Amino acid sequence: MTFLAFGEIMLRLSPPGREMLMQTPKLDVWLAGAEANVASALARLGHDVAIVSAVPDNDLGRAAITTLRGAGVDTRGIQLRGERMGLYFVSSGAGLRATEVIYDRAYSSFAETPSAAWDWDRLLDGVDRLHLSGITPALGPVPAESAIAAAEAATARGIPVSFDGNWRGKLWERWDSDPRAILTRLVEQADLLFGNHRDIALLLGRTFESDGEDRRREAVDAAFAAFPRLQTIASTARHVEHVDLNRLSARVDTRTDSAQTDEVVLAGIVDRIGGGDAYAAGVLHAMRRGEDAAAAARTGLALAALKHSLPGDASLFRQADIDAYLAGGLDVRR
């Protein structure tokens, strides 16, 4: 059976090193996109994975397809249509200077593809999980309709849906949107949610007054009460000392169990973007192997921590890397 991701495939452009945008006339180019990141990470971990998207029929679109194929992702669900590849620009921060993101995604091939263009009867054949994120509906009313149609089509066929909140305020602000209503319709279809107490507060239109772990459990209990299909909620908590030094912990809650990791110190961070996608992939990897909530939290945190050591958006790690991380071996592997 196949894990299927649906979302926009983009290109990320970043100045070299820790330079500011256009400090020098050079840009590094990386394949990007939350769903593509999850798909490629799971493929590298040995799972059968496919992606549904749309890219232009030009060198940029074909390069994206080639890159995903190289990671082991089935790309037959990618349509060649439209004229624009979604782009975004990242200036990596350093010290006390935060990372900055500029989006250039309007009118992209994916964003302009009408909902009727996705043949979910065919695309969901042989699929055992559909993965979506909140980025797709943030792109505009047409992608929002497509995401909802995908989730509802999967649910109608008994296929579980995982949903990563991935809040992107800059994208939602571009159009006359109703994030709470749209995201609620998507989470209603999900059995697995990647999101923290802030995501749940947005969905439920309320705040949570507790602190720390108590607040997280209060939030997940409220989400479980509001969304009957929801069975698992996975989240991380990040404390930023400065751009190059963060502390990260992970949590996985089910209706009957919860698992909370200790914090890990992420020092000398190379690139934190894509860390949340790596966490989602790690949790999904553990769940697809039949492991419990504690193992899912540990594996998700391990893959997220490792991702912080790489430039670009994608996790390039395999099971042996996760095993070495969990074993605590930081010496040179010879």
Side-chain angles (χ1 to χ4, degrees):
M1 299 295 284
T2 300
F3 176 95
L4 182 67
F6 174 57
E8 183 168 31
I9 302 165
M10 298 190 300
L11 296 179
R12 166 183 160 181
L13 293 88
S14 294
R18 300 297 183 90
E19 291 184 9
M20 298 178 69
L21 190 63
M22 302 307 295
Q23 183 175 336
T24 56
K26 296 178 182 178
L27 292 171
D28 295 326
V29 182
W30 311 93
L31 185 73
E35 300 82 3
N37 292 339
V38 173
S40 62
L42 281 173
R44 287 187 171 92
L45 289 167
H47 300 275
D48 290 329
V49 178
I51 191 166
V52 171
S53 192
V55 296
D57 187 10
N58 59 28
D59 287 346
L60 299 179
R62 287 189 291 271
I65 291 173
T66 298
T67 300
L68 285 169
R69 281 179 180 162
V73 177
D74 183 341
T75 60
R76 288 175 293 178
I78 299 177
Q79 298 186 32
L80 295 173
R81 60 183 301 147
E83 298 180 356
R84 283 213 66 222
M85 191 84 183
L87 306 175
Y88 82 113
F89 298 82
V90 178
S91 299
S92 295
L96 300 179
R97 173 169 58 85
T99 295
E100 292 283 344
V101 172
I102 298 173
Y103 293 111
D104 182 17
R105 305 175 68 163
Y107 309 110
S108 69
S109 293
F110 179 82
E112 293 291 289
T113 300
S115 179
W118 310 110
D119 181 0
W120 293 112
D121 280 332
R122 177 180 61 83
L123 295 168
L124 290 170
D125 185 37
V127 169
D128 66 357
R129 176 170 291 280
L130 173 67
H131 182 73
L132 306 164
S133 90
I135 298 176
T136 296
L139 293 173
V142 173
E145 180 184 354
S146 296
I148 291 168
E152 291 179 346
T155 298
R157 291 160 178 77
I159 298 169
V161 175
S162 51
F163 183 76
D164 192 335
N166 269 331
W167 175 256
R168 297 293 185 269
K170 288 184 177 180
L171 296 177
W172 285 107
E173 291 168 2
R174 287 184 53 253
W175 61 289
D176 184 20
S177 60
D178 186 349
R180 181 183 174 191
I182 293 169
L183 294 174
T184 294
R185 290 187 64 184
L186 287 161
V187 176
E188 283 175 342
Q189 309 303 319
D191 76 315
L192 169 58
L193 171 66
F194 294 96
N196 59 23
H197 65 277
R198 289 183 293 273
D199 297 296
I200 296 170
L202 171 65
L203 289 167
L204 301 184
R206 55 168 290 189
T207 58
F208 300 100
E209 303 301 330
S210 306
D211 292 318
E213 291 187 34
D214 290 340
R215 179 170 59 187
R216 296 180 204 176
R217 188 66 219 190
E218 181 188 2
V220 300
D221 284 342
F224 285 139
F227 300 104
R229 282 196 181 91
L230 201 56
Q231 300 299 317
T232 305
I233 299 175
S235 61
T236 58
R238 182 187 297 270
H239 295 92
V240 179
E241 302 290 342
H242 54 75
V243 169
D244 305 301
L245 179 63
N246 294 184
R247 291 178 284 120
L248 190 68
S249 63
R251 183 180 180 95
V252 174
D253 290 274
T254 69
R255 290 182 177 268
T256 59
D257 192 16
S258 63
Q260 171 78 43
T261 72
D262 293 331
E263 280 189 330
V264 296
V265 176
L266 303 175
I269 294 171
V270 175
D271 192 340
R272 65 170 274 186
I273 292 181
D277 302 328
Y279 174 68
V283 170
L284 287 160
H285 171 57
M287 291 179 63
R288 291 177 77 79
R289 285 158 50 110
E291 298 176 353
D292 62 13
R298 288 194 303 271
T299 303
L301 182 61
L303 204 60
L306 288 168
K307 165 60 197 71
H308 284 68
S309 71
L310 290 179
D313 284 29
S315 167
L316 305 179
F317 299 100
R318 305 190 185 275
Q319 184 62 49
D321 302 303
I322 294 174
D323 293 341
Y325 172 89
L326 293 173
L330 292 178
D331 201 356
V332 177
R333 284 185 265 168
R334 301 180 189 276

